[in-house]
Amino acid sequence: MEQLPAHRPLTVVQLPDGSHVYADPAALPAAQPAGPQVVHIHQAPPDRTVQRVALGSGVGAGAVAAGVYFGPLLVGVLTAIAANLAMLAFIALVLGWAVVTVVRSVTEGSKGTGKRGRKSR
């Protein structure tokens, strides 16, 4: 019986819910902080905010990698599309102006030529 550890007396411990139990304080789990953990994402640099939100919500490394890779890629693609549409709009404007100019010059030239009809004698 000399090999047994020394007996520790049990003490009264108050649990986080307010109830009291007889327990060994060393055997209880560590106390957890009350309330939600506050993460200040507004203090992060702008390029890291999406990553911190993704990591903080437990999404994982895949979402972070997608945000890092596809974010700038999406901006580049949208810029290229906008530039293409602007160029097409300019070309359509120039072609429309050219067609209107040609049609006006052709119709003005044909008004005075050839008098036909009843009144021409």
Side-chain angles (χ1 to χ4, degrees):
M1 290 277 258
E2 274 90 36
Q3 297 173 350
L4 294 176
H7 177 54
R8 288 192 221 165
L10 297 177
T11 57
V12 177
V13 179
Q14 184 177 7
L15 296 177
D17 64 354
S19 62
H20 293 83
V21 293
Y22 288 102
D24 184 8
L28 292 175
Q32 299 295 324
Q37 180 181 3
V38 178
V39 178
H40 298 282
I41 61 170
H42 63 275
Q43 295 175 351
D47 57 337
R48 300 281 189 249
T49 303
V50 173
Q51 298 171 32
R52 289 192 183 193
V53 169
L55 288 175
S57 61
V59 174
V64 173
V68 169
Y69 181 74
F70 289 115
L73 188 66
L74 179 64
V75 170
V77 166
L78 292 177
T79 304
I81 290 172
N84 287 339
L85 288 176
M87 183 61 71
L88 287 175
F90 179 73
I91 290 172
L93 181 71
V94 169
L95 288 176
W97 173 79
V99 168
V100 168
T101 303
V102 168
V103 168
R104 282 184 182 167
S105 66
V106 169
T107 55
E108 287 176 2
S110 65
K111 282 185 181 177
T113 61
K115 297 183 176 180
R116 291 188 196 148
R118 286 190 192 178
K119 295 184 179 181
S120 63
R121 292 184 187 195

